[in-house]
Amino acid sequence: MIEIKKILYATSLSDKSQQVYEYALQMAIKNNAQIILTHAITPMSEMGRYYINQYLPATVTQKVRQEVEQKIVNEIRTRVENFNAEVFSHLALEEIMPIKKVIAHGAHSKVILEVAQRENVDVIVMGTEKNRDDISRSYTTREVLKRAKCPVLVVPVRDK
């Protein structure tokens, strides 16, 4: 029998992604599994870095970048906590299981795959936010499906 003990739930923290989280939570409850809630922060583009470097001295640029990145991480941590609390409240659940929260910088598919491997997850749960009828339009979904070493549950999201 297949055991599911670790579930990676990949989220964009959008309103629609709550539907996907509900699937991951129900799967975790039924299997007494741990959820690893994962959110990727897209790195600054080359063009963004270019403009910052053009107008600020190198010492200021590094300091500003570090401060901005820290503010972004802090904001995302707050959003993750609020997101988690909102979904638990919506499902009338108390926090009955530990939710490990991972926030990482990088391309979304790369972050999801790296966390899945590092944490040795049994399944990845993610949504199809771009087009629920055609997952091939989502680069992240395609890459995760192509490269994951564990099963991937792709949940179609619906407009509420």
Side-chain angles (χ1 to χ4, degrees), residues 88-106:
F88 271 74
S89 173
H90 171 74
L91 294 177
L93 292 173
E94 294 180 20
E95 191 151 350
I96 55 175
M97 66 190 80
I99 307 290
K100 182 174 184 175
K101 298 160 187 112
V102 176
I103 299 168
H105 291 271

Side-chain angles (χ1 to χ4, degrees), residues 83-152:
F83 177 82
N84 195 53
E86 188 175 321
V87 172
F88 271 74
S89 173
H90 171 74
L91 294 177
L93 292 173
E94 294 180 20
E95 191 151 350
I96 55 175
M97 66 190 80
I99 307 290
K100 182 174 184 175
K101 298 160 187 112
V102 176
I103 299 168
H105 291 271
H108 297 174
S109 56
K110 185 177 179 188
V111 167
I112 292 166
L113 293 167
E114 286 174 355
V115 173
Q117 185 172 352
R118 181 178 68 237
E119 297 289 340
N120 195 29
V121 302
D122 301 302
V123 65
I124 297 169
V125 179
M126 61 191 301
T128 59
E129 291 193 38
K130 291 201 175 187
N131 184 331
R132 66 181 171 90
D133 297 322
D134 185 5
I135 63 171
S136 67
R137 291 187 184 188
S138 168
Y139 175 81
T140 300
T141 304
R142 278 196 327 266
E143 285 300 299
V144 172
L145 283 168
K146 189 180 348 176
R147 301 186 192 296
K149 293 185 172 36
C150 64
V152 179

